[in-house]
Amino acid sequence: MVKPIHVLSGPNLNLLGTREPEIYGKDTLDDVRARCEARAVARGLSVVFRQSNHEGVLIDWVQEARTEACALVINPAGYGHTSIALLDALKTLNIPVIECHLSNPAAREDFRRHTYVSLAATGIVSGFGAASYELAIEAAAGLVGAN
Ligand code: CA2
């Protein structure tokens, strides 16, 4: 039995769909979850989909992924730009790590151009709205050799 892909979303993404649709799209996080689940099932995989506003909780979930996941998709949101602790946790993983962003941070304010998470990422998908998550699932499925 293949382990699930763990999909983590960081702070404020629980409010997705309620503001700035021109940047982040109209989908809610529940819509994103449904799209990820459908993509994973189509590749014979499953997802564990979680969101937290708390850095330590995200770090606990990254650590859990060390033994419980076949790959990790993470939209670290604002913590990507600030959290060395999250980077340190990600660096302990021996599975593919796909960094995912709804927007394209490189095309926005200067402070979004750098993410610590990128230093531990196998690859990055950004700028495609909710589809970024789906593309990240596809990338993870390819990396773990799913059908
Ligand atoms: O584009 C992304 O996915 C980001 O990770 C979103 C973060 C931002 O700090 C990153 O630079 C890029 C912000 C998440 C804000 O969450 C939202 C809350 C309500 C409506 C839309 C987004």
Side-chain angles (χ1 to χ4, degrees):
M1 186 76 175
V2 185
K3 292 175 184 173
I5 300 171
H6 285 200
V7 183
L8 303 183
S9 296
N12 299 306
L13 287 165
N14 54 309
L15 298 176
L16 190 62
T18 66
R19 68 173 175 86
E20 298 182 284
E22 67 285 357
I23 299 174
Y24 298 112
K26 291 182 184 164
D27 282 303
T28 67
L29 201 60
D30 269 345
D31 296 330
V32 175
R33 176 200 301 268
R35 291 171 67 159
C36 286
E37 285 173 350
R39 280 285 176 148
V41 167
R43 300 295 295 260
L45 295 168
S46 61
V47 296
V48 170
F49 191 97
R50 293 161 160 169
Q51 185 275 335
S52 178
N53 293 327
H54 303 281
E55 187 176 14
V57 172
L58 291 163
I59 289 166
D60 285 343
W61 287 341
V62 169
Q63 291 187 10
E64 185 183 317
R66 295 174 70 221
T67 55
E68 305 304 318
C70 69
L72 180 73
V73 172
I74 182 165
N75 182 348
Y79 286 142
H81 309 300
T82 63
S83 179
I84 294 168
L86 188 57
L87 169 62
D88 287 341
L90 289 165
K91 284 171 79 171
T92 71
L93 297 180
N94 292 314
I95 55 175
V97 174
I98 317 299
E99 181 179 355
C100 166
H101 297 279
L102 297 151
S103 67
N104 176 4
R108 300 179 62 193
E109 302 97 324
D110 280 350
F111 64 83
R112 297 186 200 277
R113 287 178 183 271
H114 176 265
T115 84
Y116 289 103
V117 166
S118 301
L119 292 166
T122 309
I124 306 166
V125 182
S126 60
F128 301 101
S132 289
Y133 279 78
E134 291 184 80
L135 293 167
I137 295 289
E138 285 291 334
L143 289 166
V144 302
N147 293 324

